[in-house]
Amino acid sequence: MELMFKHLLLALLCGFGLILLALAQDQSGFISLDCGLPTNSSYSEPTTTINYISDAPFIDTGVSESIDAQYKATNQLQIAHVRSFPRGKRNCYRVNITSGTEYLVRATFFYGNYDGLNKLPKFDLH
Ligand SMILES: *[C@@H]1O[C@H](CO)[C@@H](O)[C@H](O)[C@H]1NC(C)=O
Ligand SMILES: *[C@@H]1O[C@H](CO)[C@@H](O)[C@H](O)[C@H]1NC(C)=O
């Protein structure tokens, strides 16, 4: 399965979650990605205890950025880093799936003035 970002100027994706079994209370069958989190990093988010891992193994493009400090205090941990896509018409996440299985994909987008330009980016999501 590929999630494509097309005609991307500066897009960012945070807290990307792939949910295999939506009814599961535990975290088996889920992967929760913190986009832009440094490679090999992970943490347990304190309020939800959801385990987030870096999105780095799932995508080859994009740039890791941090949101502006003024937004960090009031937002969840998984928003602190973002992945922006300054280059390429398409930037794709690649996740392993099982044929014939239904998946729920949930994504959160947050700008947080990571580039200091104070200008919301425009992008398409496929
Ligand atoms: C991530 O961890 C793997 C396995 O331990 C290691 O081979 C790799 O060099 C690490 N990457 C970074 C950027 O630290
Ligand atoms: C996806 O599956 C391939 C083939 O089994 C494996 O090499 C790869 O590490 C998997 N990728 C992830 C992100 O789990």
Side-chain angles (χ1 to χ4, degrees):
M1 181 171 66
E2 287 186 339
L3 300 173
M4 293 181 295
F5 293 84
K6 198 178 175 189
H7 304 305
L8 218 54
L9 299 177
L10 286 162
L12 47 144
L13 170 64
C14 294
F16 175 96
L18 175 70
I19 300 170
L20 177 55
L21 296 166
L23 45 88
Q25 285 295 314
D26 65 40
Q27 291 176 52
S28 59
F30 291 63
I31 52 169
S32 298
L33 305 183
D34 182 333
C35 302
L37 191 71
T39 305
N40 290 345
S41 300
S42 65
Y43 59 86
S44 175
E45 201 281 323
T47 47
T48 60
T49 69
I50 290 174
N51 295 317
Y52 283 87
I53 59 172
S54 168
D55 65 340
F58 300 88
I59 192 159
D60 298 326
T61 57
V63 184
S64 175
E65 305 274 6
S66 287
I67 63 167
D68 192 278
Q70 67 170 315
Y71 296 104
K72 278 189 181 166
T74 52
N75 283 283
Q76 293 164 304
L77 202 51
Q78 65 271 32
I79 300 294
H81 291 94
V82 300
R83 181 174 295 275
S84 77
F85 300 100
R87 281 175 294 282
K89 277 194 166 181
R90 292 181 173 187
N91 294 271
C92 299
Y93 278 87
R94 188 167 281 122
V95 291
N96 288 335
I97 61 167
T98 304
S99 177
T101 305
E102 287 189 12
Y103 293 87
L104 174 64
V105 178
R106 192 177 68 179
T108 303
F109 299 86
F110 192 75
Y111 172 52
N113 198 23
Y114 72 86
D115 54 4
L117 299 176
N118 241 323
K119 191 167 178 288
L120 284 176
K122 288 183 179 172
F123 58 92
D124 295 329
L125 180 62
H126 294 254

